[in-house]
């Protein structure tokens, strides 16, 4: 039941000087605050919203600068919770202006009579959790304090403008404006000498319009940004047709999409497309004038791979050069310091062309920093500009600024949020903070927020929170609080997601880098809107996983744990596989299983180009065997790696790990020869092992003919191939065969014991199941043969084997036998390095095309091979760590030297 009822209008409730008592206090009356009020009311909860501004609108109340518009198409940047509201409002433009969006939010406030529960002109200054009453006490700068059961901060991600960092602002005698706090009355710029400081989204929108009015405009730019033309006009017919064709489906697709706008997932990667095809896609995106389009529809690797990204960045720079007539200005406007999309790109109308006007000057602060602002203008270390008006378009203290501005926020045990967040925000789901019961943040740090269409994210957050409050009330709970375990798990998952994208390679407001002294870290959730929604739903469906719930007269409930332990892309892959409802592979029989795997592999994109791919035949133990050789594009001769594919001794062939072989060939700069060894059940034990040994000998003998370096070779293999590689090393040592300088064993089969914990923990649900492994073993060898070191190398003699790197994946039945092998090798005096891939499954590291978080693992494997071959190590930007000067991201693979 509600604690009390808000008596009439909010202002009446504050008259008696007592704290206003409500179930829920909402701070903010923007997009989020308005919908919150509506939902809470519908849930029968009493609520008040406290808003510093004089009216509703939030962002759209404050940002009245010339040219202010949304940059997500307005048909998407709208509420969707009420179909009647949708049909009652028609947007006039593709990207509506600030006044139109503000009118819309006013219309919404009127339609649901929201203003009566909003206290305008009221800033919340502090918040304190009172443990005795289990209520939040909010202090305000205007009128009564507020006491509430739940405190929801809808304070906005971009609502705390960043103060200028330049000396002398106060001495300036002219007019000063901030884009984020633009006056309500008209600002007259005609005939004036105007300076704009800052070229982020607001600056880029404002500059062309200011240039049209001002006598002289000087733009001070520290960091150039990518921008593309909005091509504004009426809402585009194709998008409108999609929306109106089936509104419900369109909205639902948006909710499950990556960015909150329904665009299909792009599958083609850059290297599969010709230059002409890439240019055609790019020109289409350029003409579309849509950020989500260009960020998601060019090629699948543009947001996750430095090379794929560099292609689009260069095409964008080409557009800048083609538009801006002065080459020096064009160069200064061309971003080189961040991948496209890692910093929020902008939509513009005539931005670049504005620099061709005679009254516009660009000052590149990288070359001539501002020394000071004087009474009459701005002085750089090269010149002085006389200025009448300064416009600061310097952005916001994003995501945390407005939250931290309520100071202190004191939680359980008197702990202040600013202390807890001293090293960066920590949240569970971006919604809650451990130690701060009943506090929720809408689109807080750790949620998709600014990386999404925020209208969609706001609705999702609010629905989730409101549904939880209703469920708690029904169950008799009155407090909800995230656990430390859940919060730490979320931080890890956030970091894993950030590793996946290129955001970590840029110093931006996403990472707090625009605010001096702010802790560095990727603040928004980069895993996407749809995955985020499914995680929130999972938390609820698993009994509020990671939350402690208490209430008078009910037993405390705490399902502690981490909601996502898999790497984000592994989670997606496994989710997709589950949805495909595939039959168990072992039920298909050997031929059926091979057909299935072949079809499956055909559907996957080919790997990246290498210098040369040659198919040939070599001599196996009992006859010729096919091989496929991958040669790097670099001048040879190259060291040779003999590679054995995976497939449980039954499936696969010399081509089935093609993307992995290509990737490793490129990364290591070595020849990979993938061997088509014989398969069970037609050729049972020890056929595969003997072929492995024979093939290695043949390749070592023919190294020069194959274009490789003479001398020792290396062996590598994945899964059953790892088993063959390990066995080959033992046979080569015992039989005096090929010289092997190193072995790379990726998730190898090493033993016939099936009771290690990983076999039980990961028996099902991670593609390689226990029952599939049983079938592989049965197909390859009899129970009596299984203890033979030629199939269970862990049982063999391990002294004097080549140095090794053993890779294991956390969610793999074979994990523990891999670890056991590495430990046994080390105990036998073999130099061995273990790479433990956290959050990965058996196929992660070979699924080059889809499991991008496997990149750093493969980079480390390639470096291990280079070490074996005595070559210098390679370090590619964005793969093994962050760019110099940036905080290094956590590694997906925790390498433990043996
Ligand atoms: C110029 C600009 C363009 C944008 N364009 C887009 C776009 O195209 N698409 C998109 O998805 N997003 C866009 N955004 C992001 C935008 O902020 C969100 O889309 C959305 O408006 C946020 O709504 P909100 O209610 O969460 O926060 P806000 O709209 O920021 O509202 C928060 C409110 O809380 C109030 N407040 C904060 N602290 C306190 C306090 N202590 N006491 C009382 N009141 C307080 C503020 O005054 C403010 O009114 C844009 C942002 C800017 C600045």
């Amino acid at each position: 039941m509600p604690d009390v009822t808000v008596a009439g209008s909010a202002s009446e409730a504050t008259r008696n000087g007592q704290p206003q008592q409500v179930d829920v206090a909402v701070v903010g009356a923007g997009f989020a605050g308005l919908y919150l009020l509506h939902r809470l009311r519908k849930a029968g909860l009493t609520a008040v919203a406290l808003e510093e501004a004089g009216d509703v609108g939030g962002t759209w109340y404050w940002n009245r600068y010339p040219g202010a518009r949304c940059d997500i198409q307005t048909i998407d940047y709208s509420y969707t919770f009420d179909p009647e509201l949708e049909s009652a409002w028609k947007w006039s433009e593709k990207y509506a202006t600030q006044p139109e969006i503000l009118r819309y939010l006013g219309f919404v406030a009127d339609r649901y009579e929201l203003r009566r529960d909003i206290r305008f002109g009221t800033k919340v200054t502090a918040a304190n959790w009172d443990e005795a009453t289990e209520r939040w006490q909010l202090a305000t700068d205007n009128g009564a304090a507020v006491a509430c059961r739940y405190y929801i901060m809808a304070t906005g991600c971009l609502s705390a403008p960043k103060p200028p960092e330049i000396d002398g602002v106060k001495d300036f005698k002219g007019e000063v404006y901030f884009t984020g706090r633009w006056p309500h009355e008209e600002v007259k710029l005609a005939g004036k000498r105007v300076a704009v400081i800052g070229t982020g989204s607001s600056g880029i929108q404002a500059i062309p319009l200011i240039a049209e009015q001002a006598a002289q405009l000087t733009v001070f730019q520290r960091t150039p940004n990518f921008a593309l033309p909005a091509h504004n006009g009426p809402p585009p017919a194709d998008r409108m047709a999609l929306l109106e064709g089936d509104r419900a489906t369109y909205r639902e697709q948006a909710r499950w999409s990556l960015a909150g706008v329904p665009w299909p997932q792009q599958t083609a990667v850059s290297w599969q497309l010709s230059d002409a095809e890439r240019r055609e896609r790019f020109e289409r995106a350029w003409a579309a004038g849509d950020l989500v389009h260009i960020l998601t529809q060019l090629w699948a690797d543009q947001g996750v791979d430095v090379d794929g990204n560099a292609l689009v960045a260069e095409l964008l720079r080409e557009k800048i050069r083609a538009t801006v007539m002065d080459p020096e200005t064009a160069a200064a406007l061309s971003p080189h310091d961040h991948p496209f999309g890692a910093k929020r790109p902008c939509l513009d109308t005539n931005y670049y062309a504005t620099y061709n006007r005679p009254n516009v000057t660009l000052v590149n602060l990288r070359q001539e920093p501002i020394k000071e602002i004087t009474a009459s203008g701005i002085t750089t270390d090269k010149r002085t500009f006389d200025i009448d008006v300064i416009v600061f378009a310097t952005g916001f203290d994003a995501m945390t600024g407005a939250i931290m501005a309520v100071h202190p926020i004191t939680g359980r045990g008197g702990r202040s949020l600013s202390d807890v967040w001293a090293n960066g925000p920590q949240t569970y789901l971006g919604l809650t903070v451990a130690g701060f019961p009943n506090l929720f943040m809408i689109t807080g740090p750790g949620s998709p927020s600014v990386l999404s269409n925020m209208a969609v994210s706001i609705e999702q957050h609010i629905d989730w929170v409101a549904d939880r409050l209703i469920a708690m009330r029904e169950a008799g709970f009155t407090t909800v609080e995230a656990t430390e375990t859940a919060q730490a798990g979320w931080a890890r998952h956030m970091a894993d997601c950030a590793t996946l994208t290129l955001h970590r390679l840029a110093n931006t407001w996403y990472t707090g880098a625009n605010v001096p002294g702010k802790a560095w870290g990727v603040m928004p959730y980069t895993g996407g809107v749809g995955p985020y929604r499914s995680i929130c739903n999972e938390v609820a469906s698993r009994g509020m996983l990671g939350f402690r719930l208490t209430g008078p007269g009910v037993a405390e409930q705490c399902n502690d744990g981490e909601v996502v332990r898999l790497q984000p892309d592994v989670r997606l892959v496994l989710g997709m596989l589950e949805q495909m409802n595939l039959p168990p592979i072992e039920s298909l029989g050997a031929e059926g299983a091979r057909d299935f795997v072949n079809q499956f592999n055909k559907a996957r994109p080919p790997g990246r180009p290498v210098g040369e791919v040659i198919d040939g035949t070599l001599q196996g133990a009992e006859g010729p065997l096919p091989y496929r050789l991958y040669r790097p594009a670099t001048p040879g001769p190259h060291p040779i790696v003999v590679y054995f594919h995976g497939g449980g001794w039954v499936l696969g062939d010399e081509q089935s790990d093609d993307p992995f072989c290509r990737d490793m060939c490129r990364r290591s700069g070595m020849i990979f020869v993938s061997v088509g060894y014989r398969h069970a059940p037609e050729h049972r034990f020890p056929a595969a092992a003997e072929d492995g040994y024979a093939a290695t000998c043949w390749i070592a003998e023919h190294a020069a003919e194959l274009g490789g370096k003479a001398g020792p070779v290396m062996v590598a293999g994945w899964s059953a191939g790892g088993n063959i590689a390990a066995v080959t090393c033992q046979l080569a040592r015992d039989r005096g065969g090929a010289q092997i300088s190193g072995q790379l064993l990726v998730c190898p089969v090493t033993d016939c014991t099936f009771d290690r914990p990983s076999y039980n923990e990961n028996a099902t649900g991670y593609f390689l199941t226990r029952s599939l492994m049983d079938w592989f073993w049965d197909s390859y060898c009899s129970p009596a043969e299984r203890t033979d070191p030629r199939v269970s190398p862990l049982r063999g003699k391990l002294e004097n084997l080549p140095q090794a790197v053993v890779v294991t994946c956390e969610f793999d039945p074979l994990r523990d036998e891999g670890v056991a092998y590495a430990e046994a090798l080390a105990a036998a005096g073999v130099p061995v390095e273990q790479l433990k891939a956290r959050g990965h499954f058996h196929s992660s590291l070979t699924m080059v095309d889809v499991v991008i978080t496997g990149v750093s693992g493969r980079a480390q494997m390639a470096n291990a091979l280079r070490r074996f071959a005595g070559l210098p190590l390679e370090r590619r930007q964005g793969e093994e760590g962050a760019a110099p000067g940036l905080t290094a991201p956590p590694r997906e693979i925790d390498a433990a030297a043996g």
Side-chain angles (χ1 to χ4, degrees):
M1 287 293 293
D3 289 348
V4 286
T5 305
V6 174
S9 75
S11 53
E12 279 171 40
T14 65
R15 268 187 212 141
N16 59 15
Q18 293 296 311
Q20 184 181 1
Q21 301 280 345
V22 282
D23 294 333
V24 189
V26 173
V27 188
F31 246 103
L34 293 179
Y35 180 48
L36 251 173
L37 268 186
H38 175 65
R39 271 291 330 246
L40 295 169
R41 260 194 210 160
K42 271 182 57 177
L45 292 155
T46 61
V48 65
L50 302 149
E51 170 57 66
E52 183 184 354
D55 199 356
V56 299
T59 293
W60 305 103
Y61 174 91
W62 296 110
N63 289 269
R64 296 166 186 251
Y65 59 85
R69 290 176 188 273
C70 57
D71 58 12
I72 296 281
Q73 291 201 24
T74 333
I75 57 164
D76 299 299
Y77 186 57
S78 308
Y79 291 115
T80 66
F81 64 88
D82 179 355
E84 286 181 18
L85 169 63
E86 289 207 50
S87 37
W89 184 268
K90 287 271 169 293
W91 292 107
S92 68
E93 287 186 272
K94 178 180 173 188
Y95 299 105
T97 57
Q98 172 271 330
E100 187 175 6
I101 303 174
L102 188 59
R103 272 201 306 282
Y104 170 71
L105 293 171
F107 172 79
V108 171
D110 291 342
R111 187 177 175 93
Y112 303 99
E113 297 180 29
L114 300 175
R115 284 193 178 86
R116 69 178 153 87
D117 287 333
I118 305 174
R119 283 168 54 183
F120 292 110
T122 306
K123 187 171 179 174
V124 174
T125 51
N128 176 46
W129 172 249
D130 179 2
E131 304 212 20
T133 59
E134 292 190 332
R135 290 174 81 79
W136 281 95
Q137 310 287 343
L138 308 190
T140 70
D141 70 348
N142 180 16
V146 176
C148 54
R149 174 80 61 206
Y150 302 104
Y151 167 37
I152 307 186
M153 300 192 78
T155 42
C157 296
L158 300 173
S159 60
K162 203 175 70 112
E165 297 155 27
I166 307 161
D167 288 343
V169 179
K170 289 201 176 71
D171 303 332
F172 183 63
K173 295 277 182 282
E175 300 159 60
V176 174
Y177 300 103
F178 293 84
T179 50
R181 288 288 182 272
W182 200 260
H184 288 207
E185 56 281 0
E186 191 195 350
V187 174
K188 295 199 169 82
L189 300 174
K192 295 183 182 162
R193 294 163 301 179
V194 181
V196 172
I197 301 182
T199 52
S201 292
S202 305
I204 283 177
Q205 286 184 334
I207 283 164
L209 293 177
I210 294 176
E212 283 174 13
Q213 301 169 41
Q216 173 65 39
L217 169 63
T218 312
V219 177
F220 294 84
Q221 172 196 274
R222 189 164 61 183
T223 317
N225 223 337
F226 288 106
L228 75 154
H231 300 304
N232 206 11
D238 55 342
R239 300 302 294 175
M240 281 305 283
L242 268 181
L243 173 67
E244 286 175 350
D246 183 350
R247 195 173 279 267
T249 303
Y250 183 94
R251 295 300 189 208
E252 197 56 14
Q253 282 172 350
R255 292 182 188 117
W256 291 98
S257 66
L258 276 182
V261 181
W263 283 100
Q265 190 109 11
Q266 190 48 243
T267 51
V269 281
S270 57
W271 68 86
Q272 291 175 277
L273 303 167
S274 65
D275 285 351
E277 284 168 328
R278 281 198 298 267
R279 180 166 292 278
E280 197 265 329
R281 283 176 181 227
F282 173 77
E283 293 296 347
R284 215 175 327 130
W286 184 261
D290 185 307
L291 285 181
V292 184
H293 181 148
I294 197 165
L295 285 165
T296 62
Q297 299 299 300
L298 293 182
W299 35 90
D301 52 329
Q302 70 176 87
V304 293
D305 178 84
V306 276
D307 295 339
N309 189 279
L311 293 164
V312 52
E314 186 44 35
L315 288 166
L316 285 161
R317 285 190 289 263
E318 202 182 290
K319 289 287 185 193
I320 299 172
R321 289 193 293 271
T323 311
V324 179
M325 276 150 28
D326 172 40
E328 203 182 319
T329 306
L333 287 166
S334 299
H336 282 278
D337 69 337
H338 64 275
F340 171 63
K343 183 175 186 156
R344 190 178 181 97
C346 308
L347 275 185
D348 75 271
T349 301
N350 298 328
Y351 175 63
Y352 292 117
T354 295
Y355 291 95
N356 296 334
R357 294 175 66 106
N359 69 333
V360 177
T361 307
L362 178 71
V363 178
N364 183 350
L365 298 180
R366 298 273 175 217
Q367 287 172 1
E368 46 174 318
I370 293 179
K371 259 171 62 185
E372 58 175 346
I373 295 179
T374 62
S376 59
I378 296 175
T379 306
T380 69
D381 64 5
K382 289 199 179 138
R383 19 183 190 165
T384 291
F385 298 87
D386 291 329
I387 301 290
D388 305 311
V389 180
I390 302 179
V391 174
F392 283 98
T394 39
F396 300 90
D397 182 352
M399 303 210 64
T400 54
I403 297 173
M404 304 292 263
V406 177
H407 187 72
I409 299 176
T410 315
R412 203 183 280 293
R415 289 188 76 196
S416 158
L417 189 67
S418 50
D419 291 340
V420 174
W421 283 10
N423 296 319
Q426 298 170 46
T427 67
Y428 182 35
L429 305 172
L431 279 159
T432 58
V433 186
F436 294 79
N438 292 6
L439 165 66
F440 293 97
M441 294 163 302
I442 303 303
T443 64
S447 76
S449 56
V450 286
L451 289 180
S452 67
N453 169 4
M454 290 202 47
V456 167
S457 289
I458 284 170
E459 284 192 343
Q460 184 267 339
H461 265 191
I462 290 170
D463 289 338
W464 192 89
V465 172
D467 290 344
R468 302 291 74 73
L469 297 191
I470 294 167
M472 282 173 62
R473 183 177 59 191
E474 283 165 4
F477 293 118
T478 49
T479 75
V480 54
E481 184 183 346
T483 67
E484 294 284 352
T485 314
Q487 186 162 287
W490 191 248
R492 234 183 328 270
H493 176 57
M494 285 277 295
D496 289 342
C497 290
T499 308
L500 199 59
T501 69
L502 302 177
H503 289 290
R504 69 198 146 80
L505 300 182
N507 280 322
T508 66
W509 56 263
Y510 293 146
T511 62
N514 65 328
V515 178
K518 193 165 172 174
W520 195 96
V522 180
M523 291 187 287
Y525 177 74
T526 55
V529 165
Y532 176 81
R533 177 181 294 268
S534 88
I535 291 167
C536 290
N537 292 352
E538 187 180 332
V539 166
S541 69
R542 290 172 68 186
M544 287 296 274
L545 181 68
F547 284 105
R548 180 172 291 107
L549 298 142
T550 66
V554 284
E556 180 179 304
Q557 174 190 311
C558 182
N559 295 334
D560 204 4
E562 295 172 38
V563 59
V564 186
R565 291 182 56 210
L566 292 168
Q567 290 293 331
D569 43 6
V570 170
R571 186 173 181 273
L572 290 181
V573 168
L574 289 174
M576 265 154 39
L577 288 170
E578 195 183 319
Q579 275 182 4
M580 287 161 82
N581 229 342
L582 302 170
I585 294 178
E586 60 275 24
S587 71
L588 303 174
E591 275 313 311
R594 285 173 194 152
D595 287 348
F596 167 79
V597 170
N598 284 344
Q599 289 304 321
F600 192 80
N601 283 344
K602 264 193 209 146
R604 288 167 54 187
R608 287 192 172 190
V610 293
E612 190 181 21
V613 178
I614 303 170
D615 291 326
T617 307
L618 55 75
Q619 192 58 35
E622 291 189 8
L625 299 174
Y627 72 80
R628 174 165 277 199
L629 181 146
Y630 302 85
R631 193 189 313 287
T634 50
H638 306 94
I640 295 186
V641 179
V642 183
Y643 178 76
F644 302 106
H645 66 82
W649 306 288
V650 178
L651 310 173
D653 55 31
E654 74 283 1
Q655 301 184 24
S656 54
D657 291 351
D658 184 86
F660 180 64
C661 289
R662 286 171 185 267
D663 193 74
M664 292 302 293
C665 163
R666 294 176 84 244
R667 284 175 196 284
S668 62
M670 296 180 186
I671 290 176
F672 263 62
V673 185
S674 175
V675 178
Y677 55 88
R678 284 171 298 158
H679 287 145
E682 296 86 346
H683 303 280
R684 288 171 63 87
F685 172 82
E690 293 296 342
D691 275 351
Y693 171 67
T696 305
C697 293
W698 188 92
I699 291 166
E701 279 163 24
H702 297 81
E705 276 163 57
L706 296 172
K709 251 190 186 153
V713 295
M714 288 157 279
V715 292
W718 166 58
S719 193
N723 172 273
I724 295 169
V727 169
T728 295
C729 290
Q730 296 192 13
L731 295 179
R733 175 201 56 195
D734 297 343
R735 297 177 184 175
Q739 272 196 19
I740 300 175
S741 62
Q743 47 181 327
L744 166 63
L745 313 178
V746 185
C747 306
V749 181
T750 70
D751 194 23
C752 57
T753 298
F754 308 115
D755 56 5
R756 292 189 172 89
S758 59
Y759 246 96
N760 295 320
E761 290 163 15
N762 309 312
T764 58
Y766 302 104
F767 199 62
L768 178 65
T769 60
R770 184 189 189 101
S771 114
L772 181 55
M773 276 311 296
D774 287 346
W775 180 66
F776 285 149
W777 275 99
D778 289 344
S779 305
Y780 187 46
C781 53
S782 69
E785 292 162 336
R786 289 181 190 183
T787 51
D788 190 311
R790 285 175 299 166
V791 68
S792 289
L794 185 57
R795 293 169 190 248
K797 192 176 132 235
L798 301 181
E799 285 74 20
N800 302 321
L801 287 173
Q803 56 189 325
V805 52
V806 181
V807 184
T808 53
C809 290
E810 186 179 4
F811 295 96
D812 180 0
L814 307 185
R815 179 193 68 205
D816 293 344
E817 65 194 75
V819 170
Y821 196 62
E823 287 172 354
L825 285 174
V830 177
V832 58
E833 183 186 353
Q834 273 197 66
L835 300 179
K836 294 183 175 179
R838 180 176 55 75
H840 284 284
F841 78 127
H842 185 69
S843 308
S844 278
L845 296 165
T846 53
M847 289 187 101
V848 173
D849 45 334
V850 280
V851 181
I852 294 146
T853 50
V855 164
S856 85
R858 289 194 300 279
Q860 289 181 66
M861 290 187 237
N863 269 337
L865 291 173
R866 291 180 70 84
R867 254 196 322 273
F868 295 162
L871 298 178
L873 303 191
E874 287 266 287
R875 191 169 185 281
R876 279 166 57 84
Q877 198 217 6
E879 295 194 342
E880 279 207 282
L886 302 182
T887 305
R891 300 159 91 99
E892 300 97 318
I893 297 231
D894 307 322

